[in-house]
């Protein structure tokens, strides 16, 4: 029996999604965090999205993104920094999500039949995903307590990615069910989608409190009645924040670590942070995680010591190769600047320099300029939520290098583009 190409791609993509998002939990809980299993899983998911993208890519913008990345990354890695083509290929995997997810999704948005079929199936999948996260997070919390081990089905060290995915998916499913003329009633009818947010308070991700505010801020449609609807939204938001904070304080030991917010994000002066990193490397098995904003400040120090790398960066591979392949020389020399949490702006500039940063800016701007297939009408609320995630990631973390995060956030972006009502009604009439 022959399967239609678009249906085959849809089915492969759904299987790929579950492998991508559940292997971590299975490996950590039942296989002892086996590195071989993890490596094989990452290689499989990376190779699959690469092949699906090459099979479906048709759009000139997507081709331009791919070709420009290949040119910039090869120039930076192999020509300027004289690194091997193997390191270039392996190191490029941290950009696979940004480059290859959109072409596959755009293909499924090329006509109404494909799009509606995929969205119908994906909506079911995403609801199941939220339920899976609730089960996995509670399991991990009961076993390990609140912390990095509580990463849901994604596994250890993915607590932040899990929290972001839960908020975005719950937001999408609830937003499309909201009747803005009966807002409170819609919330009551779909209460379970809000209840499924509570597991995010069991994994010590402080960003959840910002995501709550964004969640309820953009949940109503952004139109002339938005301010009047906020009168109903604010009390709901406050109740949820108080409830979440209560759960968070009860489950997290020393939740604020005795550090104020400014010091947590920016640290102290660069001399102190350098000394602390060096001290930990010599006297402790644990690495010192330099605060996010301090890492951005260290860029000026790094490029002052290496001025020829300002425009090209140090090549890809800084965040890949630790398990099986040789690593980028920069990661060996400045290992104390690579470990820990890395803002995405820092992640891109270190590898691809100023040229790569300009490329990334153009890429994200293109997300808002280029409609997805036949969907040309914006859902302003969803796109503001997406834009908020992009801005947060600039200084929060390099989650864009994680394929699961990239897929879920870019899927959210595609779902924020709707088919105009006039066209949609025309299609329905022609089908009838």
């Amino acid at each position: 029996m022959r399967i239609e190409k678009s249906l085959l791609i849809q089915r492969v993509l759904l299987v790929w999604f579950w492998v991508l998002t559940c292997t971590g939990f299975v490996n950590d809980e039942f296989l002892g965090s086996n590195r071989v299993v993890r490596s094989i899983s990452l290689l499989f998911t990376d190779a699959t999205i690469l092949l699906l993208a090459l099979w479906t890519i048709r759009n000139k913008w997507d081709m331009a993104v791919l070709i420009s990345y290949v040119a910039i990354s090869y120039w930076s890695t192999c020509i300027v920094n004289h690194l091997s083509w193997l390191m270039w290929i392996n190191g490029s995997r941290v950009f696979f999500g940004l480059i290859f997810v959109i072409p596959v999704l755009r293909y499924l948005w090329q006509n109404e039949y494909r799009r509606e079929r995929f969205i119908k199936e994906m909506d079911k999948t995403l609801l199941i995903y939220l339920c899976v996260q609730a089960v996995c997070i509670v399991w991990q919390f009961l076993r390990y307590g609140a912390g990095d081990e509580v990463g849901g089905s994604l596994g250890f060290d993915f607590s932040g990615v899990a929290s972001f995915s839960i908020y975005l998916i719950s937001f999408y499913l609830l937003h499309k069910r909201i009747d803005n003329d009966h807002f409170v009633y819609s919330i009551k009818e779909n209460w379970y989608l809000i209840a499924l947010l509570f597991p995010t308070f069991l994994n010590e991700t402080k960003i959840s409190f910002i995501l709550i505010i964004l969640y309820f801020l953009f949940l109503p449609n952004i139109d002339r009645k938005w301010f009047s609807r906020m009168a109903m939204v604010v009390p709901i938001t406050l109740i949820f924040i108080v409830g979440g904070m209560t759960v968070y304080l009860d489950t997290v030991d020393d939740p604020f670590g005795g550090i104020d917010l400014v010091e947590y994000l920016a640290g102290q002066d660069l001399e102190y942070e350098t000394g602390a990193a060096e001290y930990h490397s010599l006297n402790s098995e644990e690495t010192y995680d330099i605060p996010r904003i301090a890492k951005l400040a260290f860029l000026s120090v790094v490029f002052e010591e290496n001025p020829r790398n300002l425009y090209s960066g140090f090549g890809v591979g800084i965040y890949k190769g630790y398990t099986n392949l040789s690593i980028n020389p920069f990661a060996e020399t400045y290992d104390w600047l690579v470990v820990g949490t890395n803002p995405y702006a820092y992640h891109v500039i270190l590898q691809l320099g100023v040229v790569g940063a300009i490329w990334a800016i153009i890429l994200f701007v293109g997300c808002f300029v280029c409609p997805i297939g036949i969907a040309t009408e914006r859902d302003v609320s969803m796109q503001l939520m997406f834009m908020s995630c992009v801005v947060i990631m600039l200084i929060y973390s390099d989650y864009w290098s994680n394929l699961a995060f990239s897929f879920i956030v870019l899927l959210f972006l595609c779902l924020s583009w709707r088919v105009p009502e006039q066209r949609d009604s025309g299609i329905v009439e022609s089908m009838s």
Side-chain angles (χ1 to χ4, degrees), residues 37 201 228 243 275 278 299 329 397:
V37 172
F201 299 109
S228 61
E278 291 176 349
L299 286 173
S397 189

Side-chain angles (χ1 to χ4, degrees), residues 180 183-184 212-238 381:
N180 283 275
F183 188 82
V184 175
I212 289 172
I213 295 172
L214 295 174
Y215 183 99
F216 287 106
L217 182 67
F218 298 132
L219 191 59
N221 279 344
I222 307 296
D223 55 24
R224 288 176 296 178
K225 296 182 179 179
W226 181 80
F227 286 101
S228 61
R229 295 189 189 109
M230 289 307 295
M232 296 178 285
V233 170
V234 170
I236 297 173
T237 307
L238 291 175
S381 294

Side-chain angles (χ1 to χ4, degrees), residues 324-336:
N324 302 310
L325 299 172
S326 60
I327 63 174
N328 186 304
F330 177 88
E332 293 181 310
T333 305
Y334 295 90
D335 59 322
W336 52 281

Side-chain angles (χ1 to χ4, degrees), residues 119-417:
I119 291 177
K120 182 179 179 181
E121 195 64 35
M122 202 70 218
D123 283 358
K124 297 175 186 176
T125 299
L126 293 177
L127 181 57
I128 295 171
Y129 174 85
L130 289 180
C131 296
V132 169
Q133 299 320 301
V135 172
C136 292
I137 286 174
V138 171
W139 169 298
Q140 292 160 331
F141 172 73
L142 293 175
R143 270 194 94 173
Y144 312 108
D148 290 339
E149 292 88 353
V150 187
S153 67
L154 297 161
F156 294 167
D157 299 322
F158 289 103
S159 55
V161 175
S163 291
F164 263 92
S165 68
I166 289 169
Y167 276 94
L168 287 176
I169 291 170
S170 173
F171 180 92
Y172 159 68
L173 293 175
L174 182 55
H175 179 68
K176 73 181 300 182
R177 290 167 169 78
I178 288 289
D179 180 348
N180 283 275
D181 294 326
H182 303 88
F183 188 82
V184 175
Y185 177 77
S186 298
I187 294 289
K188 290 180 180 178
E189 286 292 295
N190 298 281
W191 62 269
Y192 58 93
L193 291 172
I194 295 179
L196 287 168
L197 297 176
F198 272 103
T200 62
F201 299 109
L202 302 178
N203 62 9
E204 207 177 10
T205 50
K206 301 175 182 66
I207 194 68
S208 293
F209 293 101
I210 295 177
L211 294 176
I212 289 172
I213 295 172
L214 295 174
Y215 183 99
F216 287 106
L217 182 67
F218 298 132
L219 191 59
N221 279 344
I222 307 296
D223 55 24
R224 288 176 296 178
K225 296 182 179 179
W226 181 80
F227 286 101
S228 61
R229 295 189 189 109
M230 289 307 295
M232 296 178 285
V233 170
V234 170
I236 297 173
T237 307
L238 291 175
I239 291 171
F240 201 83
I241 289 176
V242 171
M245 183 65 75
T246 302
V247 173
Y248 182 81
L249 294 176
D250 287 343
T251 57
V252 177
D253 296 328
D254 193 18
F256 303 108
I259 300 175
D260 63 38
L261 182 61
V262 174
E263 187 174 334
Y264 173 74
L265 292 174
Q268 301 186 34
D269 58 85
L270 297 187
E271 184 177 349
Y272 171 86
E273 296 300 333
T274 304
E278 291 176 349
Y279 176 83
H280 275 74
S281 65
L282 295 173
N283 300 283
S284 175
E285 293 183 0
E286 295 184 2
T287 56
Y288 180 71
D289 190 0
I290 296 174
R292 296 165 171 85
I293 296 176
K295 278 192 172 179
L296 289 170
F298 267 114
L299 286 173
S300 62
V301 176
V302 169
F303 288 121
E304 185 177 343
E305 295 175 355
N306 305 271
R308 77 182 188 91
N309 295 95
L310 176 62
Y311 293 100
S312 65
F314 295 90
V316 297
I318 291 175
Y319 301 97
K320 278 288 185 182
Y322 289 83
T323 305
N324 302 310
L325 299 172
S326 60
I327 63 174
N328 186 304
F330 177 88
E332 293 181 310
T333 305
Y334 295 90
D335 59 322
W336 52 281
L337 277 176
V338 174
V339 297
T341 304
N342 295 286
Y344 196 65
Y346 177 86
H347 176 97
V348 173
I349 293 171
L350 271 189
Q351 295 186 95
L352 300 177
V354 171
V355 174
I358 294 171
W359 173 83
I361 291 170
I362 294 172
L363 173 62
F364 283 115
V365 170
C367 290
F368 295 97
V369 174
C370 302
I372 307 297
I374 62 170
T376 57
E377 186 176 282
R378 301 172 186 274
D379 185 311
V380 177
S381 294
M382 290 185 65
Q383 293 206 347
L384 286 174
M385 188 70 169
F386 173 81
M387 185 185 299
S388 300
C389 289
V390 172
V391 173
I392 289 171
M393 282 302 110
L394 290 177
I395 61 171
Y396 183 71
S397 189
D398 57 353
Y399 291 163
W400 283 111
S401 64
N402 178 268
L403 194 50
F405 177 87
S406 294
F407 176 75
I408 290 169
V409 180
L410 293 175
L411 172 65
F412 184 89
L413 170 67
C414 290
L415 292 166
S416 75
W417 288 97

